[in-house]
C-alpha cells in the first residue's frame, strides 16, 4: 500500500485518458489548421478571379495589368490563368522565372516558356497560353463553291454571296481556287488607296502574333494570293460596284458557328 503522504500511482486507465485527451487536442488543432488553409486557398482563388476580370481579354493576360500587382498577387494571377487553360500546376521556381521574363522582356522580344508540352508566350503587351498544334506541312484544300469549307486543323471558311464587295466572283469562275496555310511570304494590297505591301508587314501592323501567322488560311488562284484571313482581299481581285462577289470569313478551330 502507498506510504502516508505519497500520491497514488496512476493506473493504465489514467494513461489512456491522458493519451486520448492529447490526441483530441491534436486532432482539433489539425482540424483548425485545415480550415484555415482551406479559407486561405479560397481567398486566393477569389482574389485571382477578381484580378483576372481586370487583366484578361480574349483569353490572354494584359502585361500592364499583371505588372501593376504585387509579386505574390501576380504569381497568384498567373497560376490562375494557367489553371483556366487546364495547365498542370507549375513548380514555384518555374512560376517565378516565368513572371520575371514576362514582365521584363522588351515589347518586341520573343518570350516563349515551355511547360509540360505547352508554351507560355508574350507578344507585345499580351501573354498567351499556347497548346501544341498539329503540323500543316503541304496541307491544301480546293473550294468548289460550297458555303462552308472545312479545313482540318485550321477551322473553316464561310463564303457568303454579296454584291459590290468581297472577292470578285468573276475571278474565280475560270480557275481552281485553293486554300493553304499562309506560307510566310508574299505581298498583298487590301486597300486600293495604298501601295502593295509585304504580308509580314501587314500582319505586324494588325498585331497578329508570330505563331499564328503560318496558321492563317490563305486563298490562291494558281500561285496568286487573293485573300488572307485577318487581312482581306487583294485590290486587284475585289468585286466592283454592283458586281457579284464573295464575302469570306474564317472560323478558327474551336470557334462557334454562330
Amino acid at each position: 500500500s502507498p506510504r502516508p503522504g505519497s500520491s497514488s500511482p496512476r493506473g493504465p486507465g489514467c494513461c489512456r485518458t491522458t493519451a486520448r485527451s492529447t490526441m483530441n487536442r491534436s486532432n482539433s488543432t489539425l482540424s483548425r489548421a485545415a480550415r484555415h488553409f482551406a479559407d486561405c486557398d479560397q481567398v486566393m482563388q477569389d482574389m485571382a478571379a477578381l484580378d483576372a476580370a481586370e487583366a484578361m481579354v480574349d483569353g490572354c493576360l494584359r502585361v500592364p495589368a499583371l505588372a501593376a500587382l504585387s509579386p505574390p498577387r501576380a504569381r497568384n494571377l498567373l497560376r490562375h490563368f494557367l489553371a483556366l487553360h487546364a495547365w498542370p500546376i507549375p513548380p514555384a521556381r518555374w512560376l517565378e522565372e516565368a513572371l520575371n521574363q514576362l514582365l521584363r522582356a522588351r515589347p518586341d522580344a520573343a518570350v516563349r516558356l515551355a511547360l509540360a508540352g505547352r508554351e507560355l508566350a508574350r507578344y507585345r503587351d499580351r501573354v498567351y497560353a499556347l497548346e501544341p498544334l498539329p503540323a500543316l506541312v503541304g496541307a491544301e484544300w480546293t473550294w468548289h463553291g460550297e458555303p462552308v469549307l472545312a479545313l482540318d486543323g485550321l477551322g473553316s471558311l464561310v463564303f457568303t454571296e454579296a454584291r459590290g464587295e468581297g472577292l470578285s466572283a468573276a475571278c474565280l469562275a475560270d480557275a481552281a481556287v485553293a486554300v493553304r496555310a499562309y506560307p510566310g511570304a508574299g505581298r498583298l494590297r487590301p486597300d486600293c488607296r495604298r501601295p502593295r505591301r509585304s504580308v509580314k508587314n501587314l500582319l505586324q501592323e494588325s498585331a497578329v502574333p508570330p505563331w499564328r501567322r503560318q496558321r492563317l488560311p490563305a486563298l490562291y488562284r494558281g500561285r496568286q494570293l487573293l485573300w488572307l484571313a485577318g487581312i482581306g482581299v487583294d485590290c486587284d481581285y475585289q468585286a466592283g460596284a454592283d458586281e457579284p462577289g464573295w464575302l469570306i470569313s474564317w472560323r478558327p478551330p474551336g470557334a462557334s458557328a454562330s
Side-chain angles (χ1 to χ4, degrees):
S1 62
R3 295 191 300 272
S6 65
S7 60
S8 301
R10 292 180 293 178
C14 181
C15 292
R16 285 195 295 270
T17 300
T18 303
R20 280 197 298 271
S21 178
T22 301
M23 184 176 296
N24 289 338
R25 286 196 300 271
S26 298
N27 289 340
S28 178
T29 300
L30 290 173
S31 179
R32 286 197 303 271
R35 288 195 300 271
H36 174 72
F37 287 130
D39 287 346
C40 288
D41 184 64
Q42 187 61 55
V43 168
M44 291 175 66
Q45 290 184 42
D46 292 346
M47 182 61 71
L50 289 172
D51 288 338
E54 295 294 326
M56 287 186 64
V57 58
D58 298 329
C60 305
L61 269 179
R62 295 188 301 110
V63 173
L66 190 64
L69 301 175
S70 65
R73 198 163 159 183
R75 287 193 296 271
N76 187 46
L77 174 57
L78 187 55
R79 193 183 299 109
H80 176 77
F81 173 70
L82 297 178
L84 289 177
H85 288 84
W87 281 39
I89 298 175
R93 178 176 290 184
W94 186 94
L95 195 70
E96 184 76 34
E97 180 61 25
L99 187 63
N100 183 56
Q101 291 195 38
L102 292 172
L103 295 182
R104 296 194 177 196
R106 300 188 316 275
D108 60 344
V111 178
R112 303 285 285 269
L113 300 154
L115 177 69
R118 302 167 171 87
E119 283 189 310
L120 195 65
R122 173 178 171 175
Y123 179 65
R124 298 190 178 181
D125 68 345
R126 301 279 179 91
V127 177
Y128 299 79
L130 307 181
E131 297 293 326
L133 297 171
L136 293 171
V137 178
E140 181 173 305
W141 302 266
T142 303
W143 183 61
H144 298 286
E146 59 268 44
V148 179
L149 178 62
L151 311 172
D152 296 335
L154 283 183
S156 61
L157 294 183
V158 179
F159 294 81
T160 305
E161 293 185 68
R163 185 165 289 277
E165 59 180 333
L167 181 63
S168 170
C171 80
L172 305 180
D174 59 351
V177 176
V179 178
R180 310 181 192 113
Y182 168 63
R187 300 178 70 81
L188 205 61
R189 188 185 175 199
D191 187 344
C192 294
R193 297 166 299 181
R194 302 183 65 181
R196 190 171 300 277
R197 302 162 64 193
S198 72
V199 174
K200 179 180 179 181
N201 184 260
L202 291 168
L203 291 171
Q204 288 175 335
E205 187 176 89
S206 299
V208 179
W211 58 87
R212 287 186 178 172
R213 294 173 193 171
Q214 294 190 8
R215 301 191 75 84
L216 294 174
L219 201 70
Y220 289 86
R221 188 178 72 169
R223 300 184 64 179
Q224 178 62 51
L225 176 61
L226 308 178
W227 170 90
L228 179 63
I231 300 299
V233 180
D234 187 87
C235 175
D236 292 347
Y237 301 94
Q238 293 175 9
D242 204 38
E243 179 187 357
W246 290 97
L247 296 177
I248 309 170
S249 58
W250 176 43
R251 290 181 192 151
S256 65
S258 59

